[in-house]
Amino acid sequence: MTILVTGGAGFIGANFVLDWLEHCDEPVINLDKLTYAGNLHNLDSLQGDVRYIFVQGDIGDRALVDKLLAAHQPRAIINFAAESHVDRSIHGPEDFIQTNVVGTFRLLEAARHYWQAQADASKNIFRFLHVSTDEVYGTLAHDAPAFTEDHKIEPNSPYSASKAASDHLVRAWHHTYGLPVLTTNCSNNYGPLHFPEKLIPLIIVNALAGKNLPVYGDGMQIRDWLYVRDHCSAIRRVLDTGRLGETYNIGGWNEKPNIEIVQTVCRLLDQLRPRTDGQGYETQITYVKDRPGHDRRYAIDARKIERELGWKPAETFDTGIRKTVQWYLDHPEWVAQVQSGAYRDWVAKQYEDKSGTA
Ligand code: NAD
Ligand code: TYD
C-alpha cells in the first residue's frame, strides 16, 4: 500500500514524511509545488530511499493528480499543502484562495473520482485526511473555555478564512458524495524544519544574528503550542482509527503568551550559546506595531482525540522547545540555505513598516 502526502516539503509535511518512514515501510508519494515554503533539503535524509517518491506539482492541477492517483493507487491522501502564514495572507490573500480553497476543491474532486472507481475492498479502506488549524474557530476571550470541535467557525484572517472554507468543502464532500474524510484542527506547531517567518524560528535565527526580536503589540496574545512530531503522531492515529466524517482537535494543553515564548527562547540561548558580550538575548526584544486583526487567544480542548482515539502528546513544552533550539544551533547550514534572497525580501517588507514600538 501507499499514501499520497501533499505539501510534504513544508514544515509539518516534511516532519510527517520523516516520522511516517521511521514508523513503517509503507511508501510515500510527496506532491509539493515547492513554493517559497517548500524545501527539498528537509528530506535530504531520504535520498536513495525506495519508499519515497517526490513529485513537484500543484494540488490544483487535476490532470497531474489524476495521473498520480492512477499510477500509485494510494490508500490515503493526507493534505498538508497550503499557504500557511497569516502575515503573508494579509499582504496578499490571492494565493491563499487559490491553494487553500480552489486547490483543496480540485484535490477533493480528483479523490472522489478515484475513490468512486475503486473496487469495494479498496473503497472501504480509502481515507482523505485534511490537515487544518485551530485558527478557523477565531479568537477566544481570556477566560473562555478552549475550542472544542463544536465551537462556531469564526475565522478572522484571510488565512484562517481560506482554511475554514477548505474544511467546509471537505465536510460537504463527505456529506454529499460519501467520500471517507477526516479533518484535524491543530494548534500552533513548533520544532525542527520550521521556516523562520513564524514566531519561534524567527526569534531563534534573529537572536543568533544579533537582530531585533520583534514582538507584535503588547506580546500578550496567547497561542497553544504543540511539538511538531506530536502533531504527526496524532495524524497517524486519526488516519488509523478516526471515525469517518469527524473532526479532531489536536493540541498540547500548552497555552502561553508570545512574550513568554520569546523570553524562554532567549533564556535557552543564553545557556546553550551565550552572547560573547556577556549580555542576555532579551536585550534584543523590540515591541513593534501589531498585526491587523490579530487574534488574541487560541486554545485547544483535545479531550475528544484522547477519549476516542487514546492520543496524547509525548513532549512537554520544556522538552520540545529545548530540542527545537538545539536543532537550530546544530543546523546552521539549513538556516543559511532558507535565508535566500526571497526570504530577505519578505523580512524587509514585513518588518520595515513595523519599526518603532507598538
Ligand atoms: P508550510 O507553509 O511550511 O508548508 C506548506 C507546503 O505546501 C510547502 O511545502 C509548499 O511548497 C506546499 N504547497 C503550497 N501550495 C501548494 C500547492 N498549491 N500544491 C502543492 N503544494 C503546495 O506549512 P506548514 O506549517 O507545514 O502547514 C502544513 C499544514 O498544516 C497547512 O495546511 C496548515 O494550514 C496546517 N497547520 C499548520 C500549523 C502550524 O502551526 N504551522 C498548525 C495547524 C495546522
Ligand atoms: P505565527 O508564528 O505567525 O503563527 P500564527 O499567527 O499562525 O499563530 O505567530 C505566532 C504569534 O506570534 C502570533 O500571535 C503573532 C506573533 N508574532 C510576533 O509577535 N512577532 C513576529 O515576528 C511573528 C512572526 C509573530
Side-chain angles (χ1 to χ4, degrees):
M1 291 200 283
T2 301
I3 61 165
L4 172 66
V5 163
T6 72
F11 164 49
I12 305 173
N15 274 286
F16 180 82
V17 170
L18 295 169
D19 180 82
W20 180 268
L21 293 174
E22 281 164 24
H23 283 89
C24 71
D25 284 329
E26 186 176 353
V28 180
I29 318 296
N30 175 12
L31 170 65
D32 196 298
K33 187 177 172 182
L34 296 182
T35 67
Y36 78 91
N39 182 357
L40 283 182
H41 290 299
N42 290 347
L43 297 158
D44 273 350
S45 61
L46 297 178
Q47 265 174 27
D49 191 323
V50 294
R51 301 170 302 168
Y52 174 69
I53 294 174
F54 176 74
V55 179
Q56 183 172 5
D58 193 320
I59 55 167
D61 181 344
R62 182 64 198 279
L64 172 65
V65 176
D66 283 348
K67 209 169 85 188
L68 282 178
L69 294 173
H72 298 285
Q73 298 283 309
R75 59 131 176 147
I77 298 174
I78 303 164
N79 184 30
F80 292 94
E83 289 293 335
S84 70
H85 188 32
V86 174
D87 292 319
R88 285 187 192 253
S89 81
I90 295 168
H91 283 284
E94 176 82 31
D95 288 347
F96 289 72
I97 305 303
Q98 278 311 324
T99 285
N100 301 1
V101 186
V102 179
T104 302
F105 155 70
R106 297 224 176 103
L107 188 66
L108 279 166
E109 277 294 83
R112 174 168 80 88
H113 284 95
Y114 166 73
W115 170 73
Q116 282 174 336
Q118 296 288 306
D120 279 353
S122 325
K123 213 170 177 178
N124 288 339
I125 59 165
F126 183 77
R127 299 286 182 270
F128 183 103
L129 193 154
H130 179 63
V131 179
S132 191
T133 164
D134 60 357
E135 304 194 24
V136 301
Y137 299 121
T139 189
L140 281 172
H142 198 72
D143 53 356
F147 300 126
T148 65
E149 289 78 0
D150 298 324
H151 196 278
K152 255 197 298 184
I153 305 293
E154 284 182 321
N156 291 319
S157 71
Y159 163 65
S160 55
S162 68
K163 290 297 290 187
S166 66
D167 295 8
H168 285 319
L169 292 174
V170 172
R171 177 189 158 87
W173 260 240
H174 176 68
H175 191 79
T176 302
Y177 304 111
L179 188 71
V181 307
L182 298 154
T183 298
T184 55
N185 294 90
C186 189
S187 60
N188 284 60
N189 284 215
Y190 68 98
L193 307 176
H194 205 180
F195 192 73
E197 64 182 356
K198 307 278 172 67
L199 179 68
I200 290 180
L202 182 97
I203 295 301
I204 300 172
V205 305
N206 276 17
L208 293 171
K211 294 186 182 163
N212 287 343
L213 310 181
V215 173
Y216 296 170
D218 64 2
M220 290 307 291
Q221 304 83 2
I222 292 173
R223 298 292 183 264
D224 183 350
W225 294 93
L226 181 70
Y227 190 65
V228 62
R229 286 295 184 110
D230 279 326
H231 189 187
C232 296
S233 75
I235 291 171
R236 280 192 282 108
R237 184 66 59 89
V238 172
L239 184 66
D240 284 350
T241 55
R243 285 190 290 131
L244 293 186
E246 292 290 312
T247 63
Y248 293 92
N249 284 356
I250 304 172
W253 299 103
N254 183 53
E255 287 182 58
K256 289 199 189 297
N258 293 338
I259 187 65
E260 205 180 307
I261 296 287
V262 175
Q263 288 164 338
T264 301
V265 169
C266 288
R267 278 196 293 273
L268 277 168
L269 286 171
D270 287 340
Q271 284 170 29
L272 299 168
R273 181 72 54 85
R275 273 173 48 158
T276 48
D277 63 1
Q279 301 235 45
Y281 286 99
E282 282 197 29
T283 56
Q284 291 167 233
I285 293 176
T286 312
Y287 288 90
V288 299
K289 204 157 79 189
D290 210 349
R291 170 189 282 173
H294 199 170
D295 283 340
R296 198 69 186 161
R297 175 176 167 236
Y298 304 139
I300 278 280
D301 181 332
R303 279 178 297 182
K304 178 177 172 184
I305 187 170
E306 182 176 346
R307 188 178 62 243
E308 291 191 10
L309 311 184
W311 176 87
K312 267 199 215 179
E315 299 287 344
T316 64
F317 188 69
D318 285 352
T319 58
I321 193 69
R322 186 172 278 276
K323 278 188 189 177
T324 303
V325 171
Q326 190 64 56
W327 186 87
Y328 280 84
L329 290 173
D330 292 342
H331 293 84
E333 72 301 333
W334 184 92
V335 172
Q337 185 263 324
V338 299
Q339 289 179 311
S340 65
Y343 176 79
R344 285 197 296 274
D345 293 346
W346 163 253
V347 170
K349 182 170 170 184
Q350 169 65 5
Y351 293 98
E352 252 161 31
D353 68 344
K354 282 189 182 295
S355 53
T357 50

